[in-house]
Amino acid sequence: MNNRYIVIVGCGRLGSHLANKLSKCGNSVVIIDRDESNFGKLSPEFSGFRIEGDATQIDVLQSAKLGQADILIATAHEDNTNMMIAQVAKKVFGVTKVIARVFDPKHEEVLLKLDIEVICPTAAAAEMFLTAANRQS
Amino acid sequence: MKIILVGGGKTLYFLCRNFSSKGYKVVIINREHNECEQLAKKTSAMVICGDGSDVEILEEAGARSADALLAITPFDQDNLIICQLAALKFGISRVIALANDPDNADVFEKLGVSAFSMTQIVSSLIEQRASLEQIVNLFPVGEGKVNVTEVVLDAYSPLVGKQLKDVSLPENSLIAVVIRNNQPIVPRGANDLQIADKIVLITLPENHGKVLKAVTGEIDKKNPG
């Protein structure tokens, strides 16, 4: 599982971290961000490609050769951006594995209908806080 | 009819005015506090300040009882998600998204959301209108899949003096109406065509140019011969 072609949208804290890790263990990684200065978060171990552009434009996704990707990971700052890119990757480019970060747990229901795999940091953190709070000390 | 408009700017303002004058109930969702205040003053619409892709804001706007929603923010991702929430969560049957990037019009359709692109509409209007001065009116219908064009016949037109049954236009096109001296005539085969007749043409974008050439004649009037 270490020679996959992975496209990551958003080079923020999460996107850059995933890009560094996935690149280090031998995957081909392409990372897209609107702001070139964000690529400074990539470590020297990152050996993939960087694309400066807006991933809600289909030509930017085409230049990342999204059609050949095994996985798309959407970690842009805005939920709507991630939700749109995830759908485009799945339904227009036919990427089989698509994972989007979505902060607002209220969107989950609609995303299930749209058949998009979502990671919701808000819900995940809430779970952990509740578990910790309920733990007998 | 109750319609929700999400976005801002002049387009939204004039759409709102237009719909209100037709007696529709309009609800506006806009993120900017100042613009909301202006809209509330200038229009009769109910104005809600907030993010249109927030389920609670849509709920507050009465999405459950709305007949249509139009998302025209400057951000394509927002327009798409707003429309999907409106359709999937609130069951609004008519939702339309503005595709700021013309490529996204197709993408949105593939994702099940009706879309339109200003760039596509305006550029096709300009191209088609600027190319021939005899064309007095053109508008796309059926999501741009059909064009309706008014053309005034002049002396250069190969159609002038012919009976309709002898006119051969390219496939998938039709002369729907002839307007002569402001009187519309729904044409039959035996009608003839005269100079200064205004004809209403139905064409498809792919044969539009060909049909126009057949109707107006191929001679460029600025450089005759």
Side-chain angles (χ1 to χ4, degrees):
Chain A
M1 292 297 275
N2 291 332
N3 47 8
R4 296 165 298 180
Y5 181 41
I6 303 171
V7 176
I8 298 175
V9 176
C11 194
R13 279 189 295 257
L14 179 63
S16 60
H17 186 81
L18 288 171
N20 291 334
K21 277 203 147 175
L22 288 164
S23 176
K24 192 184 169 193
C25 46
N27 298 290
S28 319
V29 178
V30 173
I31 187 151
I32 307 172
D33 200 289
R34 269 190 294 212
D35 182 356
E36 198 190 1
S37 66
N38 279 334
F39 294 135
K41 298 190 184 79
L42 295 168
S43 69
E45 290 157 333
F46 178 79
S47 61
F49 288 96
R50 300 136 208 237
I51 294 176
E52 185 190 352
D54 181 346
T56 62
Q57 292 173 6
I58 201 155
D59 53 346
V60 171
L61 296 176
Q62 266 156 1
S63 70
K65 297 194 172 64
L66 184 57
Q68 295 164 30
D70 301 301
I71 306 176
L72 172 115
I73 297 173
T75 68
H77 286 299
E78 293 178 299
D79 282 1
N80 292 350
T81 305
N82 292 334
M83 283 154 66
M84 171 171 166
I85 292 164
Q87 292 181 64
V88 171
K90 195 150 201 170
K91 288 171 191 159
V92 179
F93 289 91
V95 180
T96 39
K97 183 99 181 148
V98 172
I99 313 163
R101 171 177 68 180
V102 173
F103 286 108
D104 188 347
K106 280 179 293 194
H107 284 143
E108 243 167 333
E109 182 193 331
V110 167
L111 285 161
L112 279 175
K113 281 192 193 168
L114 294 169
D115 191 24
I116 302 290
E117 189 177 335
V118 178
I119 290 178
C120 178
T122 320
E127 273 307 304
M128 290 163 85
F129 272 103
L130 287 173
T131 314
N134 293 334
R135 200 179 300 138
Q136 304 282 333
S137 51
Chain B
M1 170 111 155
K2 177 174 165 183
I3 181 161
I4 300 178
L5 303 177
V6 189
K10 288 222 164 84
T11 315
L12 177 124
Y13 169 69
F14 287 114
L15 278 174
C16 171
R17 227 175 54 168
N18 190 353
F19 289 140
S20 298
S21 72
K22 288 179 179 155
Y24 301 163
K25 188 170 184 280
V26 181
V27 181
I28 296 172
I29 302 177
N30 184 298
R31 275 196 215 207
E32 303 293 328
H33 197 78
N34 289 342
E35 196 174 356
C36 282
E37 281 184 354
Q38 288 299 317
L39 285 165
K41 271 186 214 160
K42 287 196 291 186
T43 69
S44 58
M46 172 169 144
V47 182
I48 290 169
C49 191
D51 175 358
S53 57
D54 184 328
V55 175
E56 279 159 21
I57 294 288
L58 284 171
E59 181 94 55
E60 202 183 322
R64 280 182 207 287
S65 62
D67 302 291
L69 177 141
L70 199 55
I72 54 166
T73 79
F75 305 104
D76 284 354
Q77 63 272 30
D78 295 347
N79 293 339
L80 174 73
I81 301 303
I82 291 164
C83 284
Q84 289 184 322
L85 283 174
L88 295 172
K89 199 164 169 73
F90 294 98
I92 301 180
S93 52
R94 269 177 285 177
V95 295
I96 304 168
L98 166 67
N100 295 280
D101 176 353
D103 292 345
N104 277 339
D106 273 351
V107 172
F108 287 4
E109 298 278 344
K110 279 184 193 153
L111 302 178
V113 171
S114 298
F116 68 100
S117 152
M118 292 287 197
T119 321
Q120 272 172 8
I121 293 172
V122 174
S123 68
S124 84
L125 274 177
I126 290 172
E127 272 170 23
Q128 294 172 353
R129 192 174 288 191
S131 63
L132 289 154
E133 54 201 66
Q134 300 97 311
I135 300 175
V136 288
N137 208 343
L138 178 138
F139 59 95
V141 296
E143 288 162 1
K145 295 190 179 76
V146 181
N147 288 328
V148 180
T149 314
E150 273 180 36
V151 183
V152 179
L153 299 182
D154 61 14
Y156 294 95
S157 166
L159 267 55
V160 165
K162 279 190 185 164
Q163 294 200 327
L164 257 183
K165 62 174 158 53
D166 301 325
V167 169
S168 67
L169 290 180
E171 237 177 279
N172 293 322
S173 63
L174 175 75
I175 297 176
V177 179
V178 178
I179 299 168
R180 184 174 299 160
N181 303 324
N182 278 330
Q183 290 298 316
I185 306 165
V186 178
R188 292 172 184 279
N191 282 117
D192 62 336
L193 293 163
Q194 301 174 5
I195 289 179
D197 277 355
K198 201 187 275 178
I199 62 172
V200 176
L201 273 177
I202 311 285
T203 61
L204 306 182
E206 50 270 30
N207 68 14
H208 186 77
K210 248 203 252 174
V211 177
L212 281 182
K213 271 186 184 171
V215 167
T216 58
E218 287 196 54
I219 304 160
D220 184 346
K221 284 202 290 189
K222 282 174 192 121
N223 312 293

